Amino acid sequence: MATAAAPRRFCRCACFCSENLYVARYGLHLRFRDEQQLRQDYGPILRSRGCVRTEDFQQLLAELEQEVERRRRLGQESAARKAFIASSYRPARPDIYTTLQGAALAPEFLAAVKYSASPGADLAGLLQWLETVSEEKRIYRVPVFTAAFCQALLEELEHFEQSDMPKGRPNTMNNYGVLLHELGLDEPLVTPLRERFLQPLMGLLYPDCGGAWLDSHRAFVVKYAPGQDRELGCHYDNAELTLNVALGKAFTGGALYFGGLFQAPGALMQPLEVEHVVGQGVLHRGGQLHGARALGTGERWNLVVWLRASAVRNRLCPMCCRKPDLVDEAEGFGDGFTREEPPTVDVCTLT
């Protein structure tokens, strides 16, 4: 009798606890090992941005040590929150917890995916179904969800936000929002979106970035509102590719802006601004420097899906730019690394 294959074990890179620690008031992503390294690597720039007193530096040091400890506990605490939510939370919209169906997706998106999966499909043909925001930067846009599905998802997210359930936040740059795997929406919503719909599309758009080899993701919703987060500093994503879908509500401002790839000199020269359109998704490479301008009025909610291909990242961690030092995760996708030998795939370049 055949036995079921063991589930794949995903990993993190050990740099997760030492690289890209964000300090909002100084507008810096820092690498942190210890006090001596921090002074040596960042002393001059920290002083230039206002960290001048001994008290300032000691406060920063304490915050970085606290953040490192938080990251070490993150997987275990997230799993505990997910289990508690699964046992105790009553959804407002149980219909969105059923497996993703085509009725939730925009006709334009379904047409683009259908073309991508057809015999003889090529990039030139696919681009007829998408909006090319920037040919040079390889940024595209396409309607993803119907207005009705965006509204249903927003209702559920607001209901969860107003509940007394424990909540993990997306990252150190976004203090408001929801981790979809903790809410139980990875399996019914994000995984089928990646496997059935995004992979054929991304395989044609980004073959050099592992678009055809996507095997994990990290999905979260971010919220911007007056008195909460209003803008997002320049950064790049821990992903090979990213989908960013505007869910609503009514808002002004908050446009995305894009520079070049983070590895390239002068990557923020002449940034490109892209306005949000509710229901539409912006597709870009994870290494593309980007941020969000300040919100003007209203509330803005966006679904962000970091798409990962272990065939690419197993060779080079995109955050520390070294061969990953793997740390096993007890469950979930970790940061998308695996211990398996990756298939042959050309890696993303700076072009």
Side-chain angles (χ1 to χ4, degrees):
M1 184 174 66
T3 57
R8 296 185 73 191
R9 172 69 68 88
F10 286 90
C11 308
R12 292 192 187 277
C13 178
C15 78
F16 177 70
C17 291
S18 61
E19 306 280 340
N20 291 282
L21 280 69
Y22 183 63
V23 184
R25 69 181 175 282
Y26 300 129
L28 286 174
H29 285 86
L30 304 176
R31 178 171 58 90
F32 177 63
R33 299 282 194 279
D34 53 41
E35 179 176 351
Q36 181 179 355
Q37 170 268 323
L38 184 66
R39 290 185 183 277
Q40 180 176 324
D41 290 351
Y42 299 102
I45 191 170
L46 283 169
R47 286 191 292 274
S48 73
R49 299 195 181 191
C51 184
V52 293
R53 301 177 304 162
T54 299
E55 294 87 342
D56 297 331
F57 189 85
Q58 291 303 317
Q59 181 184 2
L60 172 62
L61 189 64
E63 290 175 0
L64 290 173
E65 290 171 344
Q66 182 179 8
E67 172 60 16
V68 168
E69 184 57 31
R70 185 193 72 84
R71 293 188 179 200
R72 286 178 177 149
R73 300 192 308 264
L74 199 61
Q76 181 179 358
E77 293 181 351
S78 180
R81 285 193 298 267
K82 180 180 178 181
F84 183 80
I85 291 166
S87 66
S88 307
Y89 176 63
R90 292 188 177 183
R93 294 296 302 259
D95 50 312
I96 69 167
Y97 291 82
T98 59
T99 301
L100 180 67
Q101 300 297 319
L105 300 171
E108 299 92 332
F109 183 63
L110 291 171
V113 172
K114 182 178 180 180
Y115 173 80
S116 300
S118 65
D122 59 19
L123 177 61
L126 174 58
L127 293 182
Q128 304 302 309
W129 300 92
L130 307 175
E131 175 191 348
T132 300
V133 176
S134 171
E135 182 178 2
E136 175 194 2
K137 299 182 188 302
R138 301 172 69 187
I139 301 172
Y140 308 98
R141 175 155 53 191
V142 63
V144 176
F145 298 120
T146 64
F149 183 80
C150 287
Q151 180 62 34
L153 182 55
L154 272 179
E155 288 177 14
E156 179 59 30
L157 293 168
E158 290 193 297
H159 176 70
F160 178 71
E161 275 290 287
Q162 293 161 9
S163 75
D164 58 0
M165 292 292 105
K167 300 171 181 72
R169 297 309 185 184
N171 50 63
T172 54
M173 298 183 74
N174 292 104
N175 300 300
Y176 299 88
V178 179
L179 294 166
L180 292 195
H181 78 277
E182 291 188 5
L183 192 51
L185 285 172
D186 250 6
E187 294 81 359
L189 173 59
V190 188
T191 295
L193 180 66
R194 168 174 56 84
E195 292 180 343
R196 293 167 48 199
F197 300 101
L198 288 172
Q199 189 149 322
L201 202 71
M202 296 302 206
L204 284 182
L205 288 175
Y206 305 103
D208 53 334
C209 301
W213 300 95
L214 302 174
D215 54 1
S216 73
H217 60 262
R218 176 178 171 82
F220 49 92
V221 171
V222 293
K223 177 189 176 186
Y224 297 86
Q228 300 181 3
D229 290 339
R230 296 193 60 217
E231 60 189 321
L232 186 64
C234 187
H235 64 285
Y236 60 94
D237 297 338
N238 186 358
E240 278 61 70
L241 302 165
T242 296
L243 168 67
N244 185 329
V245 184
L247 300 175
K249 302 179 174 179
F251 58 89
T252 62
L256 294 171
Y257 64 88
F258 290 91
L261 290 178
F262 79 92
Q263 305 100 322
L268 266 182
M269 299 294 288
Q270 299 180 321
L272 168 73
E273 291 206 358
V274 180
E275 297 293 336
H276 298 279
V277 180
V278 173
Q280 296 195 10
V282 176
L283 307 169
H284 63 87
R285 293 173 290 181
Q288 203 89 41
L289 284 172
H290 60 285
R293 303 299 188 196
L295 185 75
T297 60
E299 289 184 13
R300 178 167 72 82
W301 296 68
N302 283 58
L303 168 64
V304 179
V305 185
W306 288 353
L307 298 159
R308 292 160 167 172
S310 62
V312 174
R313 63 183 33 231
N314 283 357
R315 301 177 182 183
L316 191 74
C317 172
M319 304 311 285
C320 65
C321 297
R322 297 187 294 268
K323 184 174 177 59
D325 177 11
L326 298 181
V327 178
D328 287 329
E329 284 288 294
E331 62 172 26
F333 292 126
D335 273 346
F337 301 95
T338 64
R339 295 188 183 276
E340 293 96 342
E341 189 68 24
T344 301
V345 56
D346 292 333
V347 298
C348 192
T349 67
L350 293 179
T351 58

